[in-house]
Amino acid sequence: MNTAGMLEGKTAIVTGGTRGIGMAVVRTFLKSGARVALCGSRQETVDKALAQLKEENADYDVMGICPNLSDYGQVAEAFAQVEEAFGHIDILANNAGIAAKESIYEYKPEDFDKIMNLNVKAVFSCSKAVAEIMKEQGGGVIINTSSMVSIYGQSSGCGYPASKSAVNGLTKSLARELGPDQIRVNAVAPGVIRTDMVAALPRDMVERLVATIPLGRVGEPQDIANAYLFLASDLASYVNGAILSVDGATIS
Ligand code: NAD
């Protein structure tokens, strides 16, 4: 589908933009005319992603940053650099996240802190840093990445659905708080998506998962990026506080 021009003149920051869903969001935003700052956890992976995108299209206007996302000071500094480079920040995609699969008996308290630090505190830090910029410029869009398990839970790795339920709470609350500043806040709740995480699963497990998906296939990163594009665009100008399920109606 030709989406060229949908985000013309807009600028975006995408966390976890170096691979998987985040990379698909970065590519989709660039193809739609946005300038994008992709954010990764290490300079090497950021540089690799930038080189790949530039090879795909030398005209893409893309830069890289890698602050510690749960450190508000580092995030605010990095976002100020993006604002200086692009002049404004219109879209923030809070996508970086990690999963968990340990049973409660094996779950180390420090691993629970780790997942909360990235999946929840980073969303808080990035949203706080960008809200100050967006308020000043008269508006913007924040899109968070939830998960279908925020609704269903999962049978191990309880920190993951707990973190994604917190993302839903942040989304609903910030939509109400920031709406008067013309900042829309929504979330996408993906189902099972073909990224490194799912590709590493045994084939029979993937077959069992697919049996729970009425559309009969796992989702592709592009399926999620399309939802991000809709929410980031002016087509979603009255969509605020939504948790958009993009899971093929998976029966969990
Ligand atoms: P992925 O593992 O392919 O990518 C994760 C991204 O997060 C990477 O770009 C990585 O650099 C970044 N990241 C990881 N640790 C980081 C850290 N400490 N600091 C900064 N960045 C860090 O995963 P994905 O499947 O593309 O997942 C992206 C988002 O989608 C996550 O929030 C995940 O919870 C969510 N999600 C994924 C699925 C799925 O089936 N793949 C389903 C529901 C929700």
Side-chain angles (χ1 to χ4, degrees):
M1 192 187 299
N2 186 1
T3 62
M6 255 177 99
L7 298 181
E8 202 60 56
K10 308 269 189 197
T11 65
I13 296 176
V14 180
T15 72
T18 57
R19 61 172 195 259
I21 291 171
M23 181 81 154
V25 171
V26 169
R27 191 178 281 114
T28 300
F29 283 4
L30 287 167
K31 280 185 180 167
S32 305
R35 288 180 291 163
V36 179
L38 71 82
C39 188
S41 53
R42 286 182 299 125
Q43 193 62 50
E44 302 117 83
T45 52
V46 168
D47 289 345
K48 197 173 148 208
L50 290 176
Q52 189 182 329
L53 289 163
K54 281 286 188 186
E55 200 179 302
E56 288 171 21
N57 187 337
D59 291 336
Y60 281 158
D61 196 347
V62 58
M63 63 181 281
I65 50 173
C66 56
N68 174 349
L69 291 179
S70 51
D71 180 328
Y72 173 71
Q74 281 197 33
V75 170
E77 200 176 307
F79 284 15
Q81 283 168 22
V82 176
E83 190 191 11
E84 198 179 313
F86 288 162
H88 47 104
I89 301 172
D90 304 300
I91 302 156
L92 166 67
N94 280 313
N95 162 79
I98 47 173
K101 55 181 184 213
E102 305 88 330
S103 89
I104 188 77
Y105 303 109
E106 317 293 333
Y107 217 131
K108 294 193 191 113
E110 56 270 31
D111 287 339
F112 191 84
D113 289 343
K114 198 171 155 194
I115 201 164
M116 288 297 159
N117 267 332
L118 183 64
N119 293 12
V120 184
K121 195 173 174 197
V123 175
F124 166 80
S125 301
C126 294
S127 301
K128 180 173 165 62
V130 89
E132 286 166 11
I133 295 167
M134 288 176 174
K135 182 180 181 179
E136 186 82 10
Q137 72 195 17
V141 182
I142 298 174
I143 309 165
N144 297 326
T145 310
S146 179
S147 166
M148 68 175 180
V149 302
S150 69
I151 299 154
Y152 306 129
Q154 60 186 31
S155 54
S156 63
C158 62
Y160 184 69
S163 71
K164 294 301 185 180
S165 298
V167 168
N168 293 354
L170 279 168
T171 304
K172 294 269 179 201
S173 303
L174 291 178
R176 295 178 68 166
E177 187 176 341
L178 299 178
D181 297 322
Q182 302 309 310
I183 301 170
R184 294 188 292 108
V185 186
N186 294 291
V188 175
V192 183
I193 309 303
R194 195 192 307 277
T195 62
D196 287 356
M197 197 166 70
V198 172
L201 295 175
R203 201 170 152 188
D204 61 325
M205 191 185 284
V206 174
E207 280 166 8
R208 278 202 306 278
L209 281 170
V210 170
T212 69
I213 306 170
L215 288 182
R217 65 171 178 89
V218 298
E220 300 296 331
Q222 189 64 51
D223 292 315
I224 304 305
N226 293 342
Y228 263 86
L229 176 61
F230 164 66
L231 290 172
S233 77
D234 292 341
L235 288 178
S237 55
Y238 200 58
V239 183
N240 193 25
I243 315 286
L244 178 57
S245 289
V246 185
D247 62 6
T250 298
I251 307 150
S252 183

